[in-house]
Amino acid sequence: MLKYIIRRLIMLIPVLIGVSILTFSLIHLIPGDPARSMLGEKATEAQLESLREELGLNDSYIVQYGRFLGDILQGDLGESIQSKEDIAIQLLHKLPATVELTIFAMLLAVIIGVLAGVIAAVKQYSWFDNISMTGALFGVSLPIFWLGLMMIWLFSVTLNILPPSGRLTSGVELNTITNFYLLDSILTGNWLAFKDAFLHLLMPGLALGTIPMAIIARMTRSSMLEVMRQDYIRTADAKGLKKHFVIFQHALKNAALPVLTVIGLQFGLLLGGAVLTETIFSWPGIGRYVYLAVLGRDYPIVQSTILIVATIFVLVNLLTDVLYKYFDPRIRYE
Amino acid sequence: MHHLSLQPNPLPDPNSANIGEPEQTKSSKLWLDSAMRIVKSKTSFIGLCIILILILTAILAPIIATNSPTDQDIINRYQPPSSEHFLGTDELGRDIFSRIVYGSRISIQIGVIAVGIAMIIGVLLGGIAGYFGRWIDQIIMRIIDIMMAFPSILLAIALVAVLGPGLTNAMIAVGIVGIPQFARIVRSAVLSIKETEYIEAAKSIGAKNGRVLMQHVLPNCVAPIIVQTTLSIGTAILDAAGLSFLGLGAQPPTPEWGAMLSDGQAAIQNAPWVVAFPGLAIFFVVLGFNLLGDGLRDALDPRLKQ
């Protein structure tokens, strides 16, 4: 197992180098002069030259890429053109917000999706099966930015029961330790903040989690249906085991593998989907950070954030593969 | 897919496209079978209907629309749905129904152009990688791996960020991020097809690699390509709408559905219809392509025939 993980980690190196080359090249895809694109039409030649110097745009590509890679390996992600803030520090502050939202969305998706999928499979062709699978079909076609806005309209504007934006109501105090607000409020025993943070998470979490929830529900159903036709399930049934024991201990355990793959793949995609969700709910995570940077043409932020997200994405996919192997010892990787 | 046997043909022209022609009846039967299964399946039939409605709306837009999609009428802004304005008016007093009707043209344009880019480049790359194998395959697939290391919408955002906002660049970006899926699907199809006897036969009578690939291998990958294309159109429309929603795609006053949502979000408190209807339009169209795509996958997959 360890050997396999090490091998996979080594295989990641060329992919990550490729990712870094692609992210590095982004700035060179800008039509015309990148410096002018960032500073605008009114910039003077001196300002442009100073920015070119600062970004090292006057050097050859190879030198520029070498410096880009060297800086990243030392944890230096550069600084924002506009605010001059250190991007690495900004990301450290904003990443927990995105990860908290993503994990919350995924938890909702897994709990509801797996449960719906299992019930739909056990009660195949029942009204529950029909309704949940139609819902799942709708779920994969929903524009999440629209769903988010409609939820704000319903739950915040009309019913006034959920906060429309942000992570915490202003005035609610919370001593941050990890910047994961739910975790911090538990650690500090601050239940008021916990409730507030939880309510703030509900809508963005649900909006972000809808698509994976739908996909997980469909995957669980079809995977369960396949497993439940197997002889060993009939045997388990025949020897008089309780129905729920057969379903959860025998069937679901064996149906979990394809579901696990979907969860892994969707987790990475959620990081991308977070851009839209965070923008709608003014969630101060990296999705909104990169969006604001795109609008402000702050390319170093765009480059660094995308590089970090891609790296996380690749690592999550690796983790999925490793877990896959762990759960199914029949799978042998060369 | 339908390459069960090759009738020995005395001295065929190596460059004729007719190898495997005796399969014609079998092949057309397969397509007929598939078409029947699509019509019979309730869900894919609904999908097909939604797409036909979309196409008809786009063609007949000037007849269906009650107003011009861009004419402003500030005095009548934020009017709720009524007999005069079926779906109400937006922040500039424009008729939302007419804007959605004309927006169907843009959605089709996005679907065709973005997926066209993804399909042409993806199929060629996947075909070349699968057919030639070895180092060509290695290089192409490693590039595909790298592209797949980015969440697609984020890569699209990054590409539009550097190319500049606008509908054309959004379509290009959405097209580029769709390339890997086509490439992977076609590559795996080509890998199995290139080992078949009729390809060996085509090669043995002296057909050149390029011709074998274009005339014999790729045409037999049509089924998975069709399925992927249908499903990709839904995703492309969704992604492009997302880009427009962020202000990176279609620019005002283009009646693109995502951009309409974006323009209307400030007024959601008092005029939710400005946001609700364009979103529903996106939802139904994407649903249509997903339903048809799912149906096509079932219909064109002979393994499910039993």
Side-chain angles (χ1 to χ4, degrees):
Chain A
M1 189 71 174
L2 190 67
K3 245 186 187 169
Y4 166 71
I5 297 175
I6 293 171
R7 269 183 64 110
R8 285 295 308 264
L9 281 172
I10 293 172
M11 275 162 65
L12 271 189
I13 295 171
V15 173
L16 288 177
I17 291 176
V19 166
S20 71
I21 292 176
L22 193 60
T23 351
F24 164 76
S25 310
L26 278 177
I27 209 163
H28 296 284
L29 283 174
I30 301 171
D33 179 5
R36 183 164 293 286
S37 167
M38 286 179 236
L39 293 179
E41 289 304 317
K42 287 179 185 156
T44 63
E45 193 47 49
Q47 286 171 317
L48 291 174
E49 192 47 43
S50 136
L51 181 64
R52 277 185 214 121
E53 199 56 47
E54 189 186 322
L55 296 177
L57 292 173
N58 292 331
D59 299 323
S60 73
Y61 282 174
I62 307 268
V63 172
Q64 284 185 51
Y65 174 69
R67 196 168 39 225
F68 177 77
L69 199 62
D71 286 349
I72 287 166
L73 290 176
Q74 291 170 41
D76 177 6
L77 297 178
E79 59 178 33
S80 154
I81 291 173
Q82 270 145 26
S83 66
K84 302 287 170 204
E85 285 165 333
D86 187 314
I87 298 172
I89 292 175
Q90 287 292 316
L91 281 179
L92 270 181
H93 274 106
K94 292 176 194 298
L95 199 59
T98 301
V99 174
E100 184 174 48
L101 174 62
T102 314
I103 291 177
F104 187 77
M106 197 37 112
L107 273 178
L108 282 180
V110 171
I111 294 170
I112 302 176
V114 169
L115 212 61
V118 169
I119 300 176
V122 174
K123 299 194 180 299
Q124 198 185 1
Y125 303 128
S126 66
W127 63 267
F128 183 89
D129 185 21
N130 287 332
I131 291 179
S132 59
M133 286 307 117
T134 311
L137 205 59
F138 283 13
V140 287
S141 311
L142 275 176
I144 54 171
F145 43 99
W146 177 73
L147 182 68
L149 286 174
M150 292 323 286
M151 284 204 285
I152 291 178
W153 172 71
L154 181 66
F155 295 112
S156 304
V157 177
T158 311
L159 301 173
N160 199 16
I161 49 174
L162 287 175
S165 61
R167 292 180 79 188
L168 219 51
T169 310
S170 64
V172 175
E173 298 281 330
L174 175 67
N175 293 327
T176 50
I177 305 165
T178 59
N179 260 326
F180 293 91
Y181 283 6
L182 283 187
L183 189 64
D184 285 347
S185 53
I186 292 173
L187 290 176
T188 54
N190 186 345
W191 300 111
L192 185 74
F194 181 83
K195 186 185 164 201
D196 196 64
F198 181 78
L199 290 178
H200 276 85
L201 262 172
L202 267 181
M203 277 202 294
L206 204 57
L208 190 59
T210 303
I211 293 179
M213 191 188 297
I215 295 175
I216 290 169
R218 291 176 72 173
M219 197 59 173
T220 309
R221 178 181 181 273
S222 65
S223 182
M224 277 291 282
L225 282 177
E226 206 171 312
V227 170
M228 280 165 53
R229 283 193 206 110
Q230 305 290 324
D231 288 342
Y232 60 86
I233 298 295
R234 202 182 313 150
T235 311
D237 264 336
K239 69 181 183 185
L241 289 180
K242 288 214 169 66
K243 182 118 180 123
H244 68 263
F245 188 81
V246 176
I247 292 168
F248 287 100
Q249 283 295 320
H250 292 246
L252 185 58
K253 219 170 165 183
N254 287 294
L257 272 184
V259 180
L260 187 73
T261 316
V262 171
I263 293 173
L265 285 174
Q266 289 298 316
F267 200 85
L269 292 177
L270 283 189
L271 289 169
V275 179
L276 287 161
T277 317
E278 290 183 2
T279 307
I280 295 161
F281 293 98
S282 306
W283 191 263
I286 54 168
R288 193 171 132 85
Y289 186 52
V290 78
Y291 167 64
L292 295 175
V294 164
L295 290 189
R297 294 179 171 265
D298 207 331
Y299 293 107
I301 295 181
V302 179
Q303 274 184 318
S304 302
T305 317
I306 286 179
L307 185 69
I308 296 294
V309 172
T311 309
I312 298 174
F313 191 33
V314 170
L315 289 176
V316 169
N317 287 346
L318 170 68
L319 188 69
T320 313
D321 282 355
V322 172
L323 285 177
Y324 204 106
K325 186 179 161 70
Y326 177 77
F327 281 112
D328 190 350
R330 283 173 306 177
I331 296 166
R332 290 270 171 267
Y333 295 93
E334 296 207 354
Chain B
M1 191 143 271
H2 50 278
H3 39 75
L4 300 172
S5 66
L6 175 74
Q7 300 290 327
N9 199 347
L11 293 177
D13 169 8
N15 286 327
S16 96
N18 293 338
I19 297 170
E21 274 303 352
E23 298 284 306
Q24 198 62 45
T25 37
K26 215 168 235 168
S27 149
S28 18
K29 189 170 177 304
L30 186 100
W31 288 104
L32 196 70
D33 272 3
S34 306
M36 283 309 291
R37 261 182 283 170
I38 290 167
V39 177
K40 271 187 201 159
S41 147
K42 242 187 277 172
T43 49
S44 44
F45 185 67
I46 295 173
L48 191 64
C49 289
I50 295 176
I51 295 166
L52 287 178
I53 292 173
L54 173 78
I55 294 171
L56 279 178
T57 311
I59 294 171
L60 303 174
I63 299 169
I64 299 173
T66 49
N67 292 67
S68 147
T70 47
D71 271 1
Q72 302 179 9
D73 180 8
I74 297 288
I75 299 166
N76 285 316
R77 59 197 291 223
Y78 294 133
Q79 291 292 311
S82 63
S83 57
E84 202 179 334
H85 298 288
F86 299 144
L87 305 179
T89 62
D90 68 3
E91 69 283 2
L92 296 171
R94 292 172 298 196
D95 184 61
I96 294 175
F97 174 72
S98 307
R99 285 178 69 73
I100 289 180
V101 167
Y102 274 94
S104 61
R105 293 183 164 186
I106 296 164
S107 283
I108 291 180
Q109 193 189 342
I110 292 167
V112 171
I113 296 178
V115 177
I117 293 172
M119 185 179 72
I120 293 171
I121 303 178
V123 167
L124 277 179
L125 286 179
I128 292 170
Y131 185 74
F132 291 102
R134 294 198 284 188
W135 62 270
I136 300 180
D137 183 31
Q138 282 295 324
I139 292 177
I140 292 177
M141 292 324 285
R142 291 302 77 78
I143 294 173
I144 298 292
D145 280 350
I146 291 164
M147 287 178 73
M148 292 192 78
F150 297 89
S152 59
I153 183 86
L154 200 63
L155 187 58
I157 288 172
L159 287 171
V160 181
V162 294
L163 296 174
L167 188 58
T168 311
N169 287 344
M171 289 190 288
I172 294 174
V174 171
I176 291 175
V177 301
I179 293 173
Q181 279 177 318
F182 277 99
R184 287 171 67 124
I185 285 169
V186 171
R187 175 180 177 268
S188 65
V190 168
L191 281 179
S192 66
I193 290 169
K194 78 169 180 182
E195 301 302 332
T196 52
E197 285 170 357
Y198 73 99
I199 297 300
E200 205 182 316
K203 278 189 195 165
S204 64
I205 55 172
K208 294 204 169 63
N209 272 333
R211 188 165 187 93
V212 175
L213 180 62
M214 299 306 283
Q215 294 282 344
H216 304 296
V217 178
L218 287 182
N220 281 296
C221 303
V222 163
I225 295 173
I226 289 178
V227 174
Q228 183 58 32
T229 304
T230 317
L231 291 169
S232 296
I233 292 178
T235 317
I237 292 175
L238 209 53
D239 284 353
L243 288 176
S244 296
F245 176 76
L246 293 173
L248 301 173
Q251 300 296 313
T254 316
E256 199 274 336
W257 297 336
M260 288 171 70
L261 260 167
S262 171
D263 293 341
Q265 61 174 327
I268 193 159
Q269 281 193 314
N270 307 315
W273 55 86
V274 183
V275 171
F277 295 120
L280 279 175
I282 302 173
F283 165 66
F284 276 115
V285 168
V286 176
L287 180 69
F289 282 104
N290 283 346
L291 288 177
L292 184 66
D294 275 357
L296 281 171
R297 182 166 41 203
D298 296 347
L300 294 175
D301 189 344
R303 283 172 306 168
L304 295 171
K305 210 175 172 182
Q306 284 83 33

